[in-house]
Each structure stands twice: as structure tokens, then as C-alpha cells.
Amino acid sequence: MRLIRPVPPQHGANAQPAASAGAPSQNAVSLSRILDLSPDGLLAFDRQDRIIHVSATFLALTGLDRSQLTGMAEAQFWDYLSAHGNAQQTRMGVAQLRQHLAHPEDQRRSVLELLHPVPRLLRVFQRTSDATDVARVLCFRDVTQEFDVDRRKSEFLSTAAHELRAPLASIYGFSETLLTQPCDAAMQTEFIGIIHQQAQVMAHLLDEMLDLARIEARRHSDFVFEQIPVLQLVQTVLSRFRRPLEREAPTLHAVQTGLQVR
């Protein structure tokens, strides 16, 4: 029988410090700090589908507690996120959720609407790993601004299309009158001036529609704001109003001349 002697503790420059039980390694601490620098919120899961890392960005986005999340199973995590009023999402099984997160074409559907700490939209991505300690990472990207830009562009196009109908109707109406009704020289000059002015309005609106890059960059539009007398605006609208034949012409009563609109 051999006698195994214990190895005495090392001293001096070559000595290696003993790791305390349960304390994270230096590499783990460094990796955690690196992940915290990511602009995306990150959740790392082990092979048992339990959370082993929560980035500081994710905590800032959701307002959740790291101590509550660490060690939590994935199914429990989604229920926890919804139960705390942080997200509105389609109720689906974890397996189905993981399946559609794994397909890039479904990524637009994997958007969570957060209500707290502030309303925002997060797009969820999934990345898998062959490592023994990390199986998957969920990335939560704040896409609130992207969706806001899309909404602004849609609203702008809808408004521009609506605004184009007014000058187009004037151009069509006055040109049709010139073609079908007898008009003296003064009336012809007036109608042609209105058509020319409305064509300029349409050209300006089309220029705005073609310059969507400015909207996407969230810059101010090139609209020029002016103070216009209300009476002048109303008189301009009435002069372009084409009433049905059986309806009397509109009349203007007691408009205060000092009123201004921007």
C-alpha cells in the first residue's frame, strides 16, 4: 500500500490563488461585462433551458430583477414576463415560440410590446450554440424607433394622397369648365391662374413624397410655416368651391379680420 502525502500549499510569485466555492471565474466575470456592453438585451440559457446570464441592457429594457430571472426555466420566464405586465404577446407554447424564432422570415412576428417601465417594442432573435455550458441566447432589440418611422411614413403617404385629391379636383373642374362652358377673357384668365396655382401645389406635394429619406432620418420637413389671415384663407376656399347646380352659393358672415392661423 502506498502512502499519498498531501501537497503543501504554494507560496511566492508562482502560487495560484484558490477559487472560492460558488464564486464566478475571472473569465465569466469578464464575459459578463462584455455582454453588458451590447445595445441588445441578452438572455443566455444552459442545456436544461434555464437562464444562466441576464445582461444589464435587458434589465434596463424590461425593468425586471436579475435575481428573480437567474436560474428560471424558459417557460416560466415567458409567463413571468407577461404576468408582471411587461409584455403583450400571443399566447403560444414554448416549443412553437422557439420554432418560429429560429426562422428569419418569422422574425417580424416575434415582436413584444412592452408596457413597463416605458412603452416600447422589442424584436426577439434566437442564436444557438454548440458549447457545453451555453445552449441558446435570446436577443431583445429595441425597434420602437423603426416602427415609429414606418408609422410616420405610412401616415405621410396617406395624408399626401388625400391632399393630392384637392388640387387635382380643382384642375379637373376648372379645365372642364374651360372646355365645355363659354367663358369671357377675364374668367379664362382667372381659371387658368387657379389651375396653374393648383399644379404648383401638386408639384410641391410630390416633391415631399419623393424625399422620404428625410422622414426616415427624423429630420424636420422643408415646409415653410407662415401666419395667414383667416379671412383670406376662407375667401380662397370659397372661390374654389364648386357647388352643385341646385345649391345656392355659400355666403360669408361677420368674420373677424384680425384672426391669424399658422
Side-chain angles (χ1 to χ4, degrees):
M1 182 177 65
R2 298 179 57 189
L3 178 62
I4 300 178
R5 299 179 179 275
V7 179
Q10 298 181 2
H11 300 281
N14 296 327
Q16 299 294 329
S20 59
S25 66
Q26 185 64 34
N27 290 338
V29 173
S30 299
L31 179 60
S32 176
R33 291 174 179 173
I34 293 174
L35 294 178
D36 285 343
L37 296 176
S38 171
D40 298 335
L42 302 176
L43 284 180
F45 293 84
D46 61 12
R47 292 294 170 185
Q48 286 72 43
D49 289 332
R50 294 190 176 275
I51 299 175
I52 57 176
H53 176 77
V54 183
S55 71
T57 304
F58 177 82
L59 299 176
L61 290 174
T62 61
L64 298 178
D65 185 8
R66 186 192 303 271
S67 61
Q68 294 291 333
L69 295 174
T70 303
M72 184 179 292
E74 183 183 13
Q76 184 182 359
F77 161 72
W78 291 114
D79 292 336
Y80 181 79
L81 186 64
S82 298
H84 282 71
N86 285 76
Q88 292 179 339
Q89 61 184 14
T90 304
R91 303 298 296 178
M92 61 176 63
V94 175
Q96 183 181 358
L97 180 63
R98 291 175 59 180
Q99 182 178 3
H100 94 265
L101 284 176
H103 293 81
E105 63 272 14
D106 292 337
Q107 301 247 340
R108 187 169 181 84
R109 293 191 302 155
S110 56
V111 175
L112 300 178
E113 179 183 1
L114 289 190
L115 305 178
H116 304 287
V118 295
R120 58 165 51 98
L121 298 174
L122 297 182
R123 180 169 292 155
V124 188
F125 301 87
Q126 178 178 264
R127 297 293 183 267
T128 58
S129 171
D130 295 331
T132 57
D133 52 347
V134 178
R136 291 179 304 105
V137 174
L138 289 182
C139 304
F140 295 79
R141 179 168 301 170
D142 191 347
V143 293
T144 307
Q145 181 174 338
E146 296 178 21
F147 275 72
D148 185 55
V149 169
D150 289 341
R151 178 186 59 81
R152 287 171 180 264
K153 289 166 63 176
S154 298
E155 290 178 354
F156 176 82
L157 290 175
S158 176
T159 302
H162 176 75
E163 293 296 329
L164 282 172
R165 294 180 62 89
L168 183 60
S170 294
I171 292 173
Y172 180 79
F174 285 106
S175 62
E176 183 182 34
T177 301
L178 289 173
L179 290 173
T180 59
Q181 302 294 331
C183 302
D184 55 26
M187 185 174 295
Q188 289 181 4
T189 301
E190 179 186 357
F191 286 0
I192 292 173
I194 294 174
I195 291 173
H196 178 71
Q197 182 184 26
Q198 293 302 306
Q200 288 180 322
V201 172
M202 290 187 65
H204 178 70
L205 288 173
L206 289 173
D207 288 339
E208 291 289 331
M209 293 177 64
L210 293 174
D211 201 6
L212 290 178
R214 184 169 61 253
I215 298 177
E216 195 160 358
R218 300 178 66 87
R219 299 174 183 173
H220 293 291
S221 179
D222 291 335
F223 292 129
V224 177
F225 292 95
E226 298 177 352
Q227 295 293 119
I228 301 177
V230 172
L231 180 59
Q232 174 186 336
L233 180 61
V234 173
Q235 289 174 340
T236 301
V237 172
L238 290 180
S239 67
R240 301 171 186 170
F241 177 70
R242 187 183 184 193
R243 71 184 191 279
L245 296 177
E246 68 276 6
R247 185 177 302 175
E248 296 182 0
T251 56
L252 189 60
H253 300 283
V255 176
Q256 185 177 346
T257 57
L259 295 179
Q260 302 278 325
V261 292
R262 186 169 182 265

